Amino acid sequence: ASHPKIKNDHAARRAVLPHERPVVAPGFLRRLARHGGFVGLNVAVLKEFLFLRTDDSGQQIVLNLGRLNRVLAVDAANLSMTVQAGCLLADVQRAANEAGLLFPLSLASEGSCTIGGNLANASPAADLTTALYALDAEVELLGPAGPRRLPVGAFIRGPRAAAREPGEILTGVSFPRLEGAVSGYEKLGLRAAQAIAVVSLAVRLRLRDGAVEAAALALGSVAPTAIRATAAAAALAGRP
């Protein structure tokens, strides 16, 4: 399969289109690992495709990710939702609004920014990543060796550097339920709205009898990755 606007030294020989409920076979992931993935530079044309370098046979795989874009579930009672990695931020916001909820993240690129891409891009300024640090989140990966989980702090290694092995894909993100906890996020930008963070702070507090029992603080845009402010969090313990 090929696209008339796609220029490449090797013609694509194979296209893979996920079904409505896509299943990724381990054998297929092993084949992806042999090729090694990269993303096309023409985002306007190639944003739904993952291009894979040719192997010694001269073959190339084109993986279409365009259907991995659905909101799977909204649980208003638990204030949570499950979405596929290719779901646009704007669609996540719309689904939350329709359920009477607010998804508290807004970006200038929310009409094209995907949830999985915002995380896998591994930017130290990414609003979503900083919040996930404070929530003790884990990422879920699937590759030739099977599934594995990593704390988000171990997944993000530096700017645009994530701990994905060859052939691995990001399949999910999870974090513990916030029993008895409150959370918040603030950032400083160079304009009033939809700005990249100059510095950001995500906070999670567990309260008991009106005082802080435990705290987690994460800072964004201050280091090559978001960081946990452990000393400051410890100083909040026992405070009203």
Side-chain angles (χ1 to χ4, degrees):
S2 62
H3 191 289
K5 295 184 180 179
I6 294 172
K7 303 293 185 181
N8 204 300
D9 293 335
H10 302 276
R13 303 293 180 84
R14 198 170 299 231
V16 181
L17 297 135
H19 296 291
E20 230 7 72
R21 297 180 64 83
V23 176
V24 182
F28 178 69
L29 289 171
R30 282 192 290 272
R31 184 169 186 186
L32 296 193
R34 290 199 300 270
H35 284 71
F38 70 97
V39 177
L41 298 179
N42 187 345
V43 177
V45 176
L46 309 181
K47 65 180 181 179
E48 291 185 351
F49 294 90
L50 174 66
F51 284 83
L52 301 163
R53 297 184 182 90
T54 53
D55 58 15
D56 294 338
S57 70
Q59 290 188 327
Q60 187 180 53
I61 295 175
V62 180
L63 177 63
N64 185 339
L65 305 177
R67 296 181 187 174
L68 299 176
N69 61 359
R70 293 186 298 148
V71 176
L72 298 179
V74 179
D75 187 346
N78 288 315
L79 302 178
S80 66
M81 66 171 61
T82 304
V83 304
Q84 293 179 327
C87 196
L88 295 179
L89 175 56
D91 292 335
V92 175
Q93 294 169 336
R94 188 177 303 111
N97 290 340
E98 290 172 355
L101 303 174
L102 172 68
F103 188 79
L105 177 62
S106 179
L107 303 174
S109 60
E110 59 196 31
S112 59
C113 166
T114 64
I115 294 296
N118 190 256
L119 177 58
N121 187 50
S123 167
D127 298 324
L128 181 62
T129 301
T130 305
L132 291 175
Y133 267 69
L135 294 174
D136 287 330
E138 292 186 337
V139 300
E140 301 165 9
L141 301 163
L142 179 63
R148 67 184 180 116
R149 299 168 69 94
L150 283 176
V152 68
F155 177 68
I156 307 295
R157 290 177 170 170
R160 298 187 182 275
R164 287 189 301 113
E165 299 296 332
E168 276 191 327
I169 58 175
L170 174 66
T171 59
V173 182
S174 61
F175 50 85
R177 286 189 61 180
L178 304 179
E179 298 286 358
V182 295
S183 61
Y185 178 81
E186 294 285 345
K187 76 176 183 180
L188 174 66
L190 297 180
R191 56 179 184 234
Q194 297 184 334
I196 295 175
V198 175
V199 63
S200 60
L201 170 67
V203 179
R204 173 174 55 85
L205 303 175
R206 189 171 71 242
L207 306 177
R208 183 183 295 273
D209 299 327
V212 176
E213 183 178 46
L217 281 70
L219 295 166
S221 290
V222 297
T225 69
I227 59 172
R228 288 282 290 263
T230 54
L236 292 175
R239 298 288 185 91

